[in-house]
Amino acid sequence: MTAKIVFENVGKTFQARGRTVTALQNINLEVRDGEFLVIVGPSGCGKSTLLDLLGGLSEISSGRILVDGKPVTGPGLDRGIVFQQYALLPWRTAQGNVEFGLEAKGVGRRERAEKAREYLDLVGLSGFHDRYPHELSGGMKQRVAIARSLAFDPDVLLMDEPFAALDAQTRDGLQDELLRIWEKTGKTIVFITHGIEEAVYLGQRVAVLTSRPGRIKEVVDVPIDARSATEDLRSDPQFTHYRHEIWSLLRDEVDRARSEELESSDV
Amino acid sequence: MSSITDVPVALSERVVPVAGVTASPAPVNPWYRTGARFLTTVFTRIAAIGALALVWQLAPQWETAPGEYLVDPTFLPPLSEVLVAWWDLLISGELWTHTEASLVRSAAGFGLAILIAVPLGLLIGWYSPVANLLNPLLEVFRNTAALAILPVFVLILGLGETSKISIILYGCTWPILLNTVSAVRTVDPLLIKSARSLGLGPVRLFQKVVLPAAVPTIFTGIRLAGAASILILIAAEMVGAKAGLGYLINYAQYNFAVPDMYAGIITISAIGLIVNQLLIVTERRFSTWRTN
């Protein structure tokens, strides 16, 4: 398979309180076309920054990111982002929110309505098209957000801890649903999380980031086939094996992140 | 793997018809219970006002000693006398003349304030350096009572309509302007980020995200301004007017037509209530989505 997204020596620095903070350093990573890649790392390691750079929402300090061989220079409809806090427009219905992305693309009114229904159906929200966000549960809001990002048909779906704010049961359900949608649509998905189980459950490959400054520590292949068909994947010995592997990789980083946090708060 | 997702859970809350079991109809309250609740609500709503009316009616007639009343009826005539005076003013058409003059001034000042302050506020709020620069000044103006500046308006614009409408315009501008500025500035940054990720340019971002997000807060400003327009109006009309409810109240007091004075006061408080209620209903209509 060809590389859909290429990170080449990507670095990002911030100015905070007069100091230069290095958030990301020397990120080299390739994401294959149609792949489900999960990026996992300790909190504050710059995972979300990485996604912002890929989404074109903030500027790269060094290196470059290529999508389909072209460098990212700004936001674009070839990449759809799903945020943790849904980012739905509260004055629009579910349908209106899904149409929002289509409006940005310049799709005509009738086609917009059709597409929006189609994608609401895909995420299992048929019959909820006229509900406002405040009438929907957290899980349903995230479904709407996913439908919105899929509807304008981006090649790549970027997901920034999309299920972190949901309760465990809802999260499990949505993970299955996302796998089903991924298999059905063939999108390339870059999924960010701090949950190890979630990473192993979803990712074909899992990239483990170090604590700040964020670097790629290791990319772990998780060759579990037909995830969505496997009953109770989490009890599978394979699953436990990969979970442990990633847990070991992350443990040192989490420890380091914590001691750094304590040091900086001592000052 | 459990296939529980939140959607089927939400769906299962709906009534699912099961064979052989007929859903029992929702309990219907008998008419007398509904009626009783309605009456209780009505009573709660009007009890305090009713009590005030009763005291107003009885206190000036209560003779504590021969020729001595609980409240001097010369200064506070019983409510019935005030209502008779009000009726007479209404029949003679005088009340309408004054009300019309007042409403025209109020509406002109209020309307102009909306036309000026909303676009200006959007502009100031959208360009944050401008907002940072102007905000302290706006706060100074807002916290300077409009009536304190009334003499300045009279000095410059004279005693005519221009100065009256201007002072109302002035008083209404600040709440609308400040609310509009803060409405634009407090739009959820995540919504803006999400819209930017869709490649929306500044103009469409403003039109599709910032403006709709700002509407409820702008309306709060408009409602405050509506209340202000009535308050300032009366004071403005007490200075050198020839018509208007403020003039009526002031003129009646000078001429010791005390029942007429109270008739004017009752009218203005009724107008204030109605205007406020209308604005609350409008505000609610524009911000239904904000109920979380």
Side-chain angles (χ1 to χ4, degrees):
Chain A
M1 276 194 252
T2 50
K4 184 79 186 168
I5 305 166
V6 181
F7 292 87
E8 277 181 7
N9 291 318
V10 172
K12 174 75 182 172
T13 52
F14 288 108
Q15 294 296 326
R17 293 192 207 152
R19 289 189 311 156
T20 307
V21 178
T22 310
L24 293 169
Q25 210 175 45
N26 281 331
I27 302 282
N28 282 295
L29 185 65
E30 288 194 359
V31 186
R32 281 168 250 153
D33 196 10
E35 183 179 28
F36 200 133
L37 178 91
V38 177
I39 297 174
V40 64
S43 61
C45 74
K47 303 186 291 278
S48 296
T49 312
L50 192 64
L51 207 76
D52 279 358
L53 296 178
L54 180 50
L57 290 169
S58 53
E59 281 194 30
I60 301 174
S61 307
S62 61
R64 56 179 192 163
I65 300 173
L66 304 173
V67 175
D68 284 328
K70 287 186 283 284
V72 169
T73 52
L77 289 166
D78 54 338
R79 286 149 289 151
I81 307 186
V82 178
F83 298 95
Q84 182 185 334
Q85 295 301 333
Y86 327 122
L88 298 179
L89 304 175
W91 56 89
R92 287 190 179 212
T93 58
Q95 166 109 14
N97 267 289
V98 178
E99 286 189 22
F100 185 48
L102 295 164
E103 285 167 33
K105 202 181 180 183
V107 177
R109 182 186 292 268
R110 182 171 299 174
E111 202 190 332
R112 274 205 312 261
E114 272 171 28
K115 273 263 162 72
R117 292 290 178 104
E118 186 188 325
Y119 280 93
L120 282 172
D121 287 351
L122 177 73
V123 299
L125 283 182
S126 330
F128 287 88
H129 55 92
D130 59 349
R131 301 292 180 90
Y132 285 90
H134 72 261
E135 298 171 311
L136 298 172
S137 70
M140 291 159 107
K141 283 185 216 170
Q142 198 55 286
R143 283 165 190 269
V144 176
I146 292 170
R148 175 172 67 185
S149 293
L150 288 171
F152 57 85
D153 201 23
D155 290 342
V156 182
L157 199 56
L158 310 177
M159 309 186 83
D160 189 1
E161 305 203 28
F163 306 147
L166 304 174
D167 63 84
Q169 230 172 32
T170 307
R171 183 161 57 229
D172 287 356
L174 275 177
Q175 286 169 356
D176 288 340
E177 199 93 336
L178 183 62
L179 284 174
R180 185 181 62 75
I181 290 168
W182 169 63
E183 280 166 6
K184 195 167 169 183
T185 58
K187 302 281 179 206
T188 307
I189 298 183
V190 178
F191 188 105
I192 288 197
T193 180
H194 59 258
I196 299 168
E197 295 225 352
E198 187 167 66
V200 178
Y201 194 75
L202 294 172
Q204 287 182 304
R205 288 195 301 154
V206 177
V208 181
L209 284 192
T210 64
S211 70
R212 179 162 290 178
R215 275 163 303 194
I216 303 278
K217 183 166 186 171
E218 201 164 322
V219 181
V220 180
D221 266 300
V222 187
I224 301 175
D225 289 331
R227 287 157 206 275
S228 56
T230 314
E231 286 269 315
D232 198 9
L233 181 65
R234 287 178 183 82
S235 314
D236 199 278
Q238 277 196 84
F239 183 88
T240 318
H241 166 74
Y242 290 115
R243 200 194 67 83
H244 181 75
E245 187 179 345
I246 290 166
W247 178 82
S248 316
L249 284 167
L250 264 177
R251 186 181 47 182
D252 305 342
E253 299 307 323
V254 173
D255 286 348
R256 240 182 62 209
R258 194 172 298 148
S259 60
E260 271 169 22
E261 209 172 288
L262 288 174
E263 267 170 40
S264 64
S265 61
D266 278 346
V267 177
Chain B
M1 186 64 234
S2 81
S3 63
I4 296 174
T5 65
D6 58 324
V7 170
V9 172
L11 283 172
S12 68
E13 283 164 11
R14 295 175 167 186
V15 179
V16 181
V18 181
V21 182
T22 45
S24 60
V28 179
N29 278 327
W31 64 270
Y32 52 86
R33 201 170 293 168
T34 323
R37 194 174 305 146
F38 177 73
L39 285 178
T40 315
T41 315
V42 170
F43 179 77
T44 319
R45 286 272 172 89
I46 64 169
I49 295 175
L52 174 71
L54 204 65
V55 171
W56 187 349
Q57 178 62 30
L58 296 181
Q61 293 174 303
W62 192 329
E63 239 177 326
T64 45
E68 290 274 324
Y69 294 87
L70 193 64
V71 176
D72 192 339
T74 328
F75 300 125
L76 184 71
L79 182 59
S80 55
E81 269 180 49
V82 173
L83 290 179
V84 168
W86 187 84
W87 184 250
D88 288 342
L89 284 170
L90 185 71
I91 295 298
S92 70
E94 208 178 327
L95 190 67
W96 175 242
T97 315
H98 291 303
T99 307
E100 194 187 8
S102 290
L103 287 180
V104 167
R105 285 175 191 138
S106 215
F110 180 48
L112 281 172
I114 294 176
L115 289 180
I116 293 169
V118 172
L120 197 62
L122 292 175
L123 217 65
I124 295 174
W126 188 233
Y127 297 102
S128 49
V130 184
N132 292 333
L133 192 73
L134 289 183
N135 233 10
L137 186 66
L138 300 186
E139 284 294 341
V140 168
F141 275 118
R142 185 185 55 167
N143 288 301
T144 307
L147 295 180
I149 308 185
L150 181 58
V152 180
F153 278 78
V154 173
L155 199 65
I156 297 171
L157 298 169
L159 283 168
E161 290 303 299
T162 321
S163 77
K164 288 182 182 52
I165 292 173
S166 302
I167 190 75
I168 295 165
L169 165 64
Y170 175 89
C172 291
T173 298
W174 307 115
I176 303 177
L177 193 61
L178 281 153
N179 270 279
T180 309
V181 171
S182 93
V184 174
R185 302 197 75 194
T186 53
V187 175
D188 184 355
L190 183 63
L191 293 184
I192 293 177
K193 188 176 175 182
S194 142
R196 278 213 305 130
S197 81
L198 296 171
L200 254 62
V203 176
R204 290 218 290 166
L205 180 68
F206 187 81
Q207 172 207 347
K208 292 200 180 270
V209 178
V210 176
L211 201 55
V215 164
T217 315
I218 295 176
F219 256 92
T220 307
I222 290 180
R223 181 169 55 78
L224 294 173
S229 78
I230 305 283
L231 297 178
I232 299 165
L233 165 82
I234 298 305
E237 284 179 342
M238 288 184 172
V239 183
K242 289 187 220 62
L245 289 167
Y247 164 80
L248 170 69
I249 294 165
N250 218 25
Y251 176 85
Q253 191 236 329
Y254 280 145
N255 293 291
F256 223 75
V258 178
D260 284 3
M261 181 186 82
Y262 283 109
I265 294 173
I266 288 178
T267 312
I268 201 65
S269 87
I271 290 174
L273 273 174
I274 292 166
V275 168
N276 196 47
Q277 209 55 42
L278 282 176
L279 289 166
I280 285 175
V281 170
T282 323
E283 187 185 5
R284 218 172 272 159
R285 261 195 68 88
F286 278 95
S287 43
T288 39
W289 56 265
R290 208 158 53 163
T291 51
N292 281 316

